[in-house]
Amino acid sequence: MEVLVFKDKKEVANKFAAYFKDLVSGNEVMHIALSGGSTPKIVFDLLASEYNNSIAWENIHFYWGDERCVPPTDEQSNFKMTTDHLFSKIVLPKENIHRILGENDPLGEAMRYANLLEINLDRVDEIPQFDLVILGMGDDGHTASIFPNEINLWNAPDHCTVATHPETGQKRVSINGAVVNKAKNVAFLVTGKSKAEKVQVILEKTIGYEEYPASLVQPSSGALTWFLDTEAAANLK
Ligand code: 6PG
């Protein structure tokens, strides 16, 4: 595991965008799971403005680690956020975008998406393998849409699961822990002082760390990189 700390959110986005470009610069087809959240938004803006012409976008297939169960036109939609900040600004075949259909019945959609991952991705030990999974971490230690009060969903069968946001009750479709941990690369983008407490507990494995879904991100053979800003890393020794 590598923990990288940068000055601020903007620098995290800069360094992550460079890491992303390196990762996709070979000629092979890449399958990448995106996340929602505030840091990815800045990363997408940067990729669109600075890397528009230097990345072979046609080689990249985009998926999501989680999606809110809302229509694709809703402001809450992770797909909409990515469209507004990235897809609308680059040349990407629309066949390369594999969104979770947030407008559909959540359970049926989790099954459909799991099946789609089985078909599109290589499988290792029966688990679909992403080249890269991008994750955020909530202030409560959640990641993708696996929340602390539903941490058992990390071990849900069949690649994808339906989660419920603990405060709003909003349904979410999320990949499960097996899919996260089978990825070749996993990158956490975590910024801001509201994350400092959980970052310290999880990275330094202090009491109770296992209660946070983000602590369960431990790729079995892939590389895990945490991209933090100084605020999120403030409590680390
Ligand atoms: C989502 C996410 C979620 C997010 C974290 C961090 O769709 O809600 O995928 O896991 O990454 O809540 O979000 P911030 O970067 O905005 O703090």
Side-chain angles (χ1 to χ4, degrees), residues 35-40 66 68 78 135-139 142-145 172 189 195:
S35 86
S38 54
T39 312
D66 69 326
R68 294 95 185 263
N78 285 339
L135 295 173
M137 183 187 79
D139 297 350
H142 84 259
T143 194
S145 277
R172 308 267 184 104
L189 297 174
K195 310 292 168 77

Side-chain angles (χ1 to χ4, degrees), residues 117 124-130 133 146 152-161 174-184 186 216-221:
L117 298 183
V124 178
D125 306 326
E126 316 273 300
I127 311 290
Q129 183 175 54
F130 281 109
V133 172
I146 312 294
N152 292 341
L153 292 180
W154 185 258
N155 297 316
D158 305 330
H159 319 321
C160 294
T161 187
S174 181
I175 56 174
N176 70 4
V179 174
V180 172
N181 283 335
K182 194 53 84 182
K184 290 186 188 165
V186 180
L216 303 175
V217 177
Q218 295 160 14
S220 49
S221 59

Side-chain angles (χ1 to χ4, degrees), residues 98-159:
H98 308 275
R99 74 176 180 94
I100 297 174
L101 304 175
E103 66 275 34
N104 284 1
D105 164 65
L107 267 179
E109 180 55 15
M111 284 171 62
R112 184 196 71 88
Y113 207 65
N115 192 42
L116 179 146
L117 298 183
E118 287 222 352
I119 293 167
N120 289 13
L121 276 59
D122 288 339
R123 267 169 288 155
V124 178
D125 306 326
E126 316 273 300
I127 311 290
Q129 183 175 54
F130 281 109
D131 294 292
L132 171 64
V133 172
I134 301 171
L135 295 173
M137 183 187 79
D139 297 350
D140 59 356
H142 84 259
T143 194
S145 277
I146 312 294
F147 295 90
N149 69 316
E150 294 183 329
I151 196 163
N152 292 341
L153 292 180
W154 185 258
N155 297 316
D158 305 330
H159 319 321

Side-chain angles (χ1 to χ4, degrees), residues 18-199:
Y19 158 99
F20 183 92
K21 182 184 184 279
D22 273 1
L23 202 72
V24 301
S25 60
N27 260 333
E28 34 339 333
V29 170
M30 303 291 282
H31 298 274
I32 296 180
L34 302 172
S35 86
S38 54
T39 312
K41 196 184 281 184
I42 308 180
V43 168
F44 297 156
D45 286 335
L46 202 75
L47 285 172
S49 61
E50 306 290 317
Y51 295 87
N52 190 358
N53 297 318
S54 57
I55 287 178
W57 296 104
E58 67 279 7
N59 288 343
I60 308 179
H61 284 253
F62 290 103
Y63 302 78
W64 277 265
D66 69 326
E67 181 59 282
R68 294 95 185 263
C69 293
V70 295
T73 48
D74 193 293
E75 285 303 324
Q76 286 269 317
S77 162
N78 285 339
F79 165 76
K80 180 178 192 303
M81 188 277 271
T82 314
T83 300
D84 293 349
H85 290 267
L86 182 64
F87 299 153
S88 62
K89 301 174 184 169
I90 59 174
V91 179
L92 176 73
K94 65 176 186 312
E95 302 74 48
N96 290 26
I97 302 173
H98 308 275
R99 74 176 180 94
I100 297 174
L101 304 175
E103 66 275 34
N104 284 1
D105 164 65
L107 267 179
E109 180 55 15
M111 284 171 62
R112 184 196 71 88
Y113 207 65
N115 192 42
L116 179 146
L117 298 183
E118 287 222 352
I119 293 167
N120 289 13
L121 276 59
D122 288 339
R123 267 169 288 155
V124 178
D125 306 326
E126 316 273 300
I127 311 290
Q129 183 175 54
F130 281 109
D131 294 292
L132 171 64
V133 172
I134 301 171
L135 295 173
M137 183 187 79
D139 297 350
D140 59 356
H142 84 259
T143 194
S145 277
I146 312 294
F147 295 90
N149 69 316
E150 294 183 329
I151 196 163
N152 292 341
L153 292 180
W154 185 258
N155 297 316
D158 305 330
H159 319 321
C160 294
T161 187
V162 178
T164 307
H165 190 283
E167 277 139 38
T168 63
Q170 181 185 62
K171 297 287 181 202
R172 308 267 184 104
V173 172
S174 181
I175 56 174
N176 70 4
V179 174
V180 172
N181 283 335
K182 194 53 84 182
K184 290 186 188 165
N185 298 279
V186 180
F188 261 115
L189 297 174
V190 182
T191 59
K193 57 177 180 298
S194 63
K195 310 292 168 77
E197 184 200 325
K198 299 299 187 294
V199 163

